[in-house]
Amino acid sequence: MQNRLGVIVIKRKQLIIKRKQLIIFILAFVVVFLGMNYFKLSDNFLGNKKYVYVLGNVVGIRANTEGVLVLGYEDNIQYIDKLKEGDNILYINDEKVNSSQDVYDILNKLKKNIVNIKFERSGKILTKSVKTKNEDGIYKLGFWVRDKITGIGTMTCYDPEKNQFYAIGHPIYDVDTQQVLKIKEGNIYNISNLEIIKGQDNKIGQIKGNFDIKNIIGNFKNNSNYGIEGNLNQNSINTDNKKRFQVASFKDIKLGKATILFASKDNEVKSYNILIKNIDKKSKILEVEIVDKELINYTGGIIQGMSGAPIIQNDKLIGSITYVLKKNPKKGFGIFIGEMIK
C-alpha cells in the first residue's frame, strides 16, 4: 500500500512538473508570438509611407454651384436691401434652387410681389423677405446671379489606392465676389491649344486653352481650403511611365533647392528649379521663388492656372504652388502636401 501510494505521489509530482513545463512552454510561446507580432506591427508602422503619382498637367475645370451666387445689382436700389454680393441663394419659398433657370421658373410660378429667400452668408444660413420685380408680367429679382464656373488649374497628384486626385492647392473662388464657392458637382477636362500669357511685375500672367468637354477625365464635389479632390475616370491618365513619389512629412521640408512640375510649351510635364525661401511652421505655408531661366522665359514666373503644380524636394512630394506675388511673379507661395492629402 505504501509503495502504491509512493508511486502515486511520485506520478503526481511528475504530472505537476510536466504541467508546469507545459504552462511555461505555452507562456513562452505566447510571449514569442506576441513579440513577433509586436515587431511586425512596429515594422509596418515604421514602413507605413504613402506613395502617389505626381502629376503637373494642366486641366480645365467646370463646376455647378450649390445654389446660385449673387453677383451684382440692377439700377433700382429698392430691390437690393436684403441680399449682398457673395450671398448664396439656396431656396425661394422653400423650393430648392440649383440654377439661375430655377430662380426664373420659381418666381414666375409663384407670381408673388414678396418671396422668402433662404441663403448662406459667411457660413450662416439666413432667411429674408425680398421684393420681386414685375416687368411686363415677368417676375425677377433685382440682381444678377451665377450658377456655373469655369477655369484652368494644375493637378498635383493621384493616389491609385483611393482613385483620388488632388489639384490647385487652394479653394475655387468666384472671380467677381472673391467668395469661396460651394460646389455641387464639377468635372475636369484635358486642355488643348495651350497658350501662356506671360507674367510681368505688377501684372499676373495666365494660362488659356480649349476644353474637350466631351472627354471628362474626372469629377469632384469637394472644394476645400486646400484645393479640389475627386475621382479619375478609368485610363484618363497614363501612369505607365510615371514614378511614384513618397508623400513628405512636414519635418522633411528644408530651405533651399526644390523643383516643380508643370506643362511645357508642348503640353508635356517638365521639371523646373525653384527655391524654398521660408517655411511657416504655424500655417504650413511655403514661400517659394522661381529660379529656372527656362520657366521664367516661358511664363514669367507663377501665373494663374499654375496653382496645384507639385513641389518636389529630395525625391519627395512636399507641396503644391498656390499663390503669386503680384509685384514680383517670380515669387509666391505653396501649401504643405499634408494639408491637401488628409
Side-chain angles (χ1 to χ4, degrees):
M1 189 70 167
Q2 231 174 1
N3 289 338
R4 287 186 64 192
L5 286 171
V7 170
I8 291 169
V9 169
I10 291 168
K11 286 185 175 179
R12 281 181 179 172
K13 284 182 178 179
Q14 290 174 342
L15 184 62
I16 289 167
I17 290 168
K18 285 182 179 180
R19 283 179 177 174
K20 283 183 178 178
Q21 289 174 339
L22 181 62
I23 289 168
I24 291 168
F25 172 75
I26 291 170
L27 286 172
F29 176 77
V30 169
V31 169
V32 171
F33 178 76
L34 289 175
M36 287 172 65
N37 277 276
Y38 170 78
F39 288 116
K40 188 176 180 182
L41 289 170
S42 297
D43 288 343
N44 284 345
F45 177 77
L46 292 171
N48 189 22
K49 298 173 183 177
K50 189 172 188 64
Y51 289 83
V52 295
Y53 288 108
V54 176
L55 300 176
N57 49 308
V58 175
V59 292
I61 301 167
R62 297 183 74 181
N64 297 321
T65 60
E66 186 73 42
V68 296
L69 191 72
V70 176
L71 295 180
Y73 314 111
E74 295 183 357
D75 296 335
N76 196 333
I77 200 164
Q78 66 173 306
Y79 294 98
I80 64 172
D81 60 335
K82 303 289 184 178
L83 293 167
K84 298 179 180 180
E85 287 185 7
D87 288 346
N88 197 44
I89 298 173
L90 304 172
Y91 292 87
I92 298 175
N93 275 29
D94 295 324
E95 293 198 41
K96 185 81 171 74
V97 174
N98 293 307
S99 66
S100 54
Q101 184 63 45
D102 285 348
V103 174
Y104 176 88
D105 292 342
I106 293 169
L107 291 176
N108 287 280
K109 182 177 71 174
L110 295 171
K111 297 186 181 297
K112 291 180 177 287
N113 294 324
I114 295 176
V115 293
N116 291 323
I117 294 183
K118 184 183 284 188
F119 60 96
E120 182 183 18
R121 178 185 294 166
S122 302
K124 295 180 179 179
I125 303 298
L126 305 171
T127 301
K128 301 285 186 182
S129 296
V130 176
K131 233 178 179 183
T132 61
K133 296 181 74 172
N134 183 348
E135 294 182 349
D136 300 322
I138 302 296
Y139 287 80
K140 61 181 184 176
L141 300 172
F143 40 78
W144 296 286
V145 296
R146 174 180 290 144
D147 60 5
K148 292 179 174 61
I149 61 101
T150 59
I152 290 176
T154 302
M155 297 185 74
T156 306
C157 63
Y158 170 61
D159 183 348
E161 292 180 5
K162 296 181 179 179
N163 186 33
Q164 196 91 356
F165 74 82
Y166 302 85
I168 77 176
H170 63 69
I172 298 175
Y173 296 95
D174 179 76
V175 67
D176 294 305
T177 66
Q178 294 303 303
Q179 297 290 318
V180 175
L181 293 172
K182 286 193 72 175
I183 301 298
K184 182 182 178 184
E185 57 189 0
N187 296 315
I188 59 172
Y189 308 83
N190 283 323
I191 288 281
S192 60
N193 299 323
L194 196 68
E195 179 187 355
I196 299 295
I197 297 176
K198 194 172 176 180
Q200 303 171 19
D201 290 352
N202 296 308
K203 185 179 180 182
I204 300 171
Q206 62 177 304
I207 304 170
K208 291 187 175 183
N210 298 328
F211 294 22
D212 183 2
I213 59 173
K214 293 181 180 179
N215 184 19
I216 297 171
I217 64 172
N219 60 80
F220 67 94
K221 292 182 179 178
N222 188 20
N223 178 33
S224 76
N225 288 332
Y226 307 108
I228 61 173
E229 59 183 82
N231 301 118
L232 285 180
N233 294 343
Q234 191 173 12
N235 301 322
S236 58
I237 288 183
N238 185 6
T239 58
D240 290 345
N241 297 319
K242 290 187 180 294
K243 175 184 174 182
R244 289 197 196 194
F245 284 79
Q246 183 183 334
V247 176
S249 63
F250 190 67
K251 66 180 181 181
D252 290 330
I253 306 172
K254 310 297 181 187
L255 296 176
K257 294 179 181 180
T259 59
I260 63 169
L261 300 184
F262 183 65
S264 68
K265 294 177 182 179
D266 302 321
N267 209 5
E268 296 292 331
V269 175
K270 288 186 63 176
S271 177
Y272 300 97
N273 296 321
I274 68 167
L275 292 176
I276 307 294
K277 305 286 286 185
N278 188 49
I279 303 167
D280 190 313
K281 293 181 179 179
K282 187 176 181 180
S283 66
K284 298 189 176 176
I285 296 292
L286 314 176
E287 186 179 332
V288 302
E289 182 178 358
I290 306 295
V291 293
D292 195 293
K293 290 183 179 180
E294 183 182 352
L295 185 59
I296 292 170
N297 290 334
Y298 174 35
T299 65
I302 300 169
I303 58 176
Q304 287 181 4
M306 193 183 280
S307 296
I311 306 172
I312 308 294
Q313 188 181 61
N314 296 325
D315 229 24
K316 295 179 182 178
L317 174 61
I318 66 169
S320 78
I321 296 294
T322 52
Y323 297 105
V324 57
L325 285 177
K326 185 177 180 180
K327 62 181 181 181
N328 183 358
K330 297 181 190 69
K331 295 183 178 181
F333 301 94
I335 187 69
F336 167 52
I337 190 62
E339 297 295 283
M340 294 179 70
I341 304 176
K342 295 291 187 181

